[in-house]
Each structure stands twice: as C-alpha cells, then as structure tokens.
Amino acid sequence: MDPREVKSVEDARTLIEDSMFKHIKVGVFDIDGVMRGKYMSRDKFLSALHKGFGFCDVVLGWDVKDQLYDNVAYTGWHTGYPDAQVRIIPSSCRTLPLESGGVFFLAEFADKAEAVCPRSLLKRVVSKAKDMGVEVDCGFEYEFFVFEETPHSIREKSFQGLTPMAPSEFGYSVIRNSVESDTYLSLLQLADDMDFPLEGLHEETGPGVLEAAIAHDEAINAADKAALFKTFTKVALQKQGKTATFMAKWSKDYPGQSGHIHLSLKDRDGLNLFYDGEREANMSATMRHFVAGQQKLMPDLMAMIAPTINSYRRLIPGFWAPTEASIGIDNRTCAIRVIPGDIQSQRLEYRIGAADANPYVILAAVIASGLWGMENKLEPECMVEGNAYDKTFPEHLQFPSTLWEAAQRLKNCQMARDFFGSPFVEHFAATREWEEREYRKHISMWELERYFEII
C-alpha cells in the first residue's frame, strides 16, 4: 500500500504489518508551529494507533528555546508536567525520502490538551465553516533565505557575516535557479514525495532568498502541508550543508519573509462562493462580507498573525509588508489583495502573514474572522487604489505596534473567545506575553553601541 493511500487506522495497521519497518516516526506541532516528535517501535506504534499515546505536555508549556512558561494555566510546575493524550492521524502518513525509506505520521493532542492544540484549533474553525455550509480552499506561499552555512557555523559566526546561497538581488532569476538547480530540484522532488507539492519555486529579491507556492487544498490539509514544508525543507537543506531561515525579517537590509495565504470559499457542491460576474471585481456579497470581517478583526488577532518579536520588524512601509488593515483590488501594497478571476480562480490573498507564523494558528484567524464578517454581513472599509503606504487609515484599522499590545488585544477580543474558546485565547496570549518579557530581559548590541560610552 502506498502511504498516501492510508485513510484509516486499519489501513495504517495493514501498511505497518505488511512492511519491514522496525520504527515509525511520529510528530506533533507545538504552539509556535515547531514539530516535536520521536521514533516509535513497531509494537508501540501499532498499540498507539488504536488508543493513542502519552506525550509530555511540556511541549505545550515551553517556548522555542525550551524555556518553561511561568504564566500559563494549562501546564507547569503546578501540574507536574503530566502526559497529554495524543492521537495519531492515519491519513497523514508519508514516506521519509530523506531517510532512505520509512514512514512518518502526524499526530494531534486530544482530551484536555485539545483546547490549546493548534491543529485542533483549526479543526474547530473548519467545523464552524461547515456548519455555515461552506468549505475553505487555500494555499500557502513562503519566502525563506538559504545560507551556505550549518547550524554550527552560524553560531560560530554569531549570526553575522553569513554566506548566502547566492549573492545580491536577482528576483525570478533563471541564471540562479539553473546554477543552483540541484538544490531547487531536490526541494521540488521532496515536495512531491512527501505530498506537499509546489506550484512554483523561484528566486526572490534578496541574496539567497527563495519563494515557494504550495499547491492549494482544503484548510486542514493545506496547513498540514505548510507546516511539513517548513520542517522538511530545513531538514533537506541541512543535509546539503545549508541552512534556511523562516524568520519574518532576519536583516534590516532586505525585505521581510512573507507567508501569504490564498483562499476561497466553496459551497457543498464545490461552487466558488467568492465569484459574482455581475459585481465589481467579480466580488460576490459573500466575499465582501468575508474580507470585511478579516479587515475589521485583523488588529485584534495580530498576535496569531504576527506571533514573534521579530514579526513586527517586518511591518514597516516600503518593504512589501502591509502596515494597516487595508483592502485593494489586485493591489500588493494592501493587507488583503482581492484577486479577480473566473468561477474557478476568484480568491483573496492574505498578505499580512509572515513566514514565522504557525500555519494552523494563522489560518484559524484568517478563516474565523471572515466567517464572523459573513455572520454580521459586514462591508469593507477604505478600499485602496494606488499605494496603501501613502494612505491614512482610521485608528481601529491600525495594527498594534508590539507583541505585548497584540496579546492584550487578543485577550479582549470577544470574537476570539467565541470562535477559538477562552482556554486557547488565554493560553496563546500568555505565551506571547512570555515572549515579550523574555525579549525585555536582553540587552541588544544596538543599545550597547548607542549608550555604553556616550550617554
């Protein structure tokens, strides 16, 4: 049986029992979208297929540096960090081409942990959409810089003076993707082999920066594919002696790295609900309500959209990143770009997203805010023609300027509690507050160079 034909627990059992695999890799994504996992013995995996398995809940209680949160209710020293129940997702089965065979399964948190699990969060939002009679089709695009460095050499250089895969700016360069064809083709083949196929892969503007467009799919599958793409692209490049970064902005000299989302809604018969050929830009009433909800809630949900300290380095004028909750027709200076098309291609591009966002969390925010707009039959504000950076927007459409402010906005957002559940809102906001407090503890080189002697 081909691993991508696995759909049920029994299919997964048959695949493993008919194979020679002694160990199976299982992974689950944490709050920041980082995969945590392990190899499981054949017998342990087969047992876990039916009844799940326990996984230390610390992975929902620490940050990207494995530092323990001191401000979350879900887990901590006060609970003793017990095991959380985890269920294996049979339909996620994939080969591991970078490991000479073997198979991999995604898992997700269950029971009590389900309330704060990112993948379960998105499932709740998708369920809400289905209750409203709509299905979500979407695809992620990622920009990422590639360096001729290893994780060790980057640290030895203190993240300074790094050698990019290619020098200078050369967007869409056929020279670059021909010279580096081995790297390009290896990533394209990996994406096919692991079923997160790419519709496009090209050189972006900046030394060694690539952009990948992942083929669209229904929402849960799309987020799975985006999260797996980020993880295994890093693995593939490190095996080649290279390193990729998906930071929102790694250098002040270059544009930030986007994580744009293309999205449309379909009814149960597969009809595109965003299309109406009789209206301006082919925008149906449903599309107008959907993007209006996204626009109005974007500032309140910014912690889910821009979840790191570094995220806010990217949100500055003139660097291809939106700075207010703007909407425009085929306008890349806006936070939401309405893309006019036909009955198949009419869609929106959510351009505020950066490459550092957790795919499950940001997609939950993108979809839920749109559904809220549909429920309330909202209309877009301040449709932009021309350069959105030159426009003045009302205060309620301006973004929070720091992660701390964004976390407070999220906690005070009633829609977030209604759609995501208060346990998730409290937990996620607390993790963002922790991130801000950790940042405040450190003294930057900029501060030392600016103040140490002269002030």
Side-chain angles (χ1 to χ4, degrees):
M1 176 182 290
D2 185 290
R4 294 308 289 143
E5 295 176 354
V6 171
K7 302 301 179 187
S8 66
V9 167
E10 289 308 317
D11 288 343
R13 174 173 285 278
T14 299
L15 174 73
I16 300 305
E17 288 180 340
D18 290 349
S19 75
M20 300 298 291
F21 303 136
K22 294 182 178 180
H23 297 90
I24 295 90
K25 183 173 284 187
V26 177
V28 63
F29 286 101
D30 69 11
I31 288 293
D32 288 288
V34 176
M35 185 186 288
R36 311 283 185 165
K38 58 185 174 180
Y39 292 99
M40 298 178 70
S41 70
R42 180 190 186 96
D43 290 343
K44 174 68 175 177
F45 177 82
L46 290 173
S47 173
L49 264 177
H50 288 278
K51 61 183 182 181
F53 65 97
F55 199 50
C56 181
D57 75 358
V58 73
V59 300
L60 294 171
W62 64 17
D63 64 16
V64 292
K65 296 294 287 182
D66 293 1
Q67 297 290 334
L68 301 174
Y69 298 131
D70 62 7
N71 61 338
V72 298
Y74 166 71
T75 192
W77 294 120
H78 61 287
T79 67
Y81 293 108
D83 277 352
Q85 188 68 9
V86 172
R87 56 175 167 257
I88 295 168
I89 305 165
S91 61
S92 69
C93 183
R94 285 164 164 82
T95 58
L96 286 170
L98 298 174
E99 298 184 24
S100 301
V103 288
F104 166 84
F105 287 83
L106 270 175
E108 62 188 1
F109 290 98
D111 297 342
K112 179 185 174 184
E114 196 164 2
V116 298
C117 171
R119 193 174 191 275
S120 296
L121 166 75
L122 180 57
K123 287 173 64 178
R124 292 195 294 274
V125 172
V126 169
S127 178
K128 168 73 172 178
K130 289 181 177 179
D131 289 344
M132 294 174 64
V134 302
E135 297 181 359
V136 184
D137 188 79
C138 51
F140 285 76
E141 294 178 348
Y142 283 116
E143 296 171 354
F144 56 102
F145 278 80
V146 181
F147 298 94
E148 297 287 352
E149 306 282 354
T150 69
H152 293 292
S153 70
I154 285 173
R155 285 162 175 81
E156 289 166 358
K157 294 181 176 182
S158 299
F159 300 89
Q160 303 296 312
L162 306 180
T163 302
M165 185 174 74
S168 189
E169 292 77 3
F170 205 166
Y172 298 101
S173 170
V174 172
I175 293 175
R176 293 277 189 260
N177 66 30
S178 299
V179 172
E180 300 292 345
S181 60
D182 288 351
T183 295
Y184 277 79
L185 293 175
S186 70
L187 294 179
L188 290 166
Q189 188 62 54
L190 173 68
D192 285 344
D193 291 343
M194 294 196 70
D195 191 24
F196 41 80
L198 303 184
E199 293 183 345
L201 179 65
H202 65 85
E203 194 90 2
E204 252 294 345
T205 298
V209 61
L210 308 185
E211 180 173 350
I214 306 170
H216 63 92
D217 205 333
E218 66 87 16
I220 300 294
N221 287 341
D224 285 343
K225 290 178 179 182
L228 290 169
F229 168 78
K230 289 177 67 175
T231 300
F232 286 99
T233 292
K234 294 174 190 175
V235 173
L237 290 170
Q238 287 190 28
K239 281 179 171 285
Q240 298 175 24
K242 298 177 172 66
T243 298
T245 180
F246 287 80
M247 283 181 68
K249 192 172 178 67
W250 81 271
S251 169
K252 64 180 178 61
D253 297 322
Y254 307 112
Q257 300 181 102
S258 69
H260 298 163
I261 300 170
H262 288 251
L263 183 147
S264 62
L265 294 187
K266 299 184 292 186
D267 65 15
R268 293 189 176 99
D269 296 323
L271 184 69
N272 188 340
L273 294 173
F274 280 177
Y275 179 79
D276 184 341
E278 301 300 316
R279 291 175 176 261
E280 181 186 1
N282 298 335
M283 289 179 69
S284 68
T286 296
M287 186 176 194
R288 291 184 67 86
H289 299 329
F290 195 86
V291 298
Q294 292 180 318
Q295 180 185 40
K296 287 178 173 57
L297 286 173
M298 197 179 287
D300 287 340
L301 302 183
M302 190 55 60
M304 300 170 68
I305 299 162
T308 72
I309 295 293
N310 185 249
S311 301
Y312 297 83
R313 309 288 194 203
R314 170 176 168 266
L315 303 179
I316 55 177
F319 275 92
W320 294 99
T323 51
E324 289 92 7
S326 53
I327 303 176
I329 308 300
D330 200 12
N331 188 330
R332 285 183 170 86
T333 67
C334 294
I336 300 171
R337 173 187 169 220
V338 173
I339 304 177
D342 57 23
I343 191 66
Q344 275 78 41
S345 61
Q346 181 84 12
R347 65 193 188 278
L348 65 86
E349 182 184 16
Y350 200 83
R351 292 181 56 81
I352 185 60
D356 63 344
N358 182 327
Y360 302 103
V361 173
I362 189 174
L363 189 54
V366 168
I367 297 170
S369 55
L371 297 178
W372 181 80
M374 289 170 57
E375 284 185 331
N376 292 280
K377 299 189 183 304
L378 302 180
E379 289 293 330
E381 296 181 56
C382 309
M383 295 288 285
V384 173
E385 294 183 5
N387 187 353
Y389 301 131
D390 291 339
K391 311 298 181 184
T392 300
F393 293 83
E395 185 176 353
H396 68 273
L397 294 182
Q398 295 174 11
F399 297 152
S401 58
T402 66
L403 184 56
W404 182 271
E405 182 186 348
Q408 309 318 303
R409 294 283 292 268
L410 178 63
K411 287 198 296 186
N412 291 321
C413 179
Q414 186 59 48
M415 169 271 170
R417 294 182 182 274
D418 292 342
F419 275 76
F420 310 140
S422 287
F424 176 83
V425 171
E426 293 291 341
H427 184 80
F428 190 80
T431 68
R432 300 310 96 187
E433 289 174 342
W434 162 271
E435 194 78 5
E436 179 85 15
R437 287 191 291 117
E438 284 297 287
Y439 168 69
R440 298 290 178 191
K441 292 178 183 178
H442 294 84
I443 309 301
S444 68
M445 184 59 70
W446 183 90
E447 291 171 273
L448 291 171
E449 291 178 347
R450 190 172 186 88
Y451 303 128
F452 190 92
E453 178 189 6
I454 202 168
I455 199 71

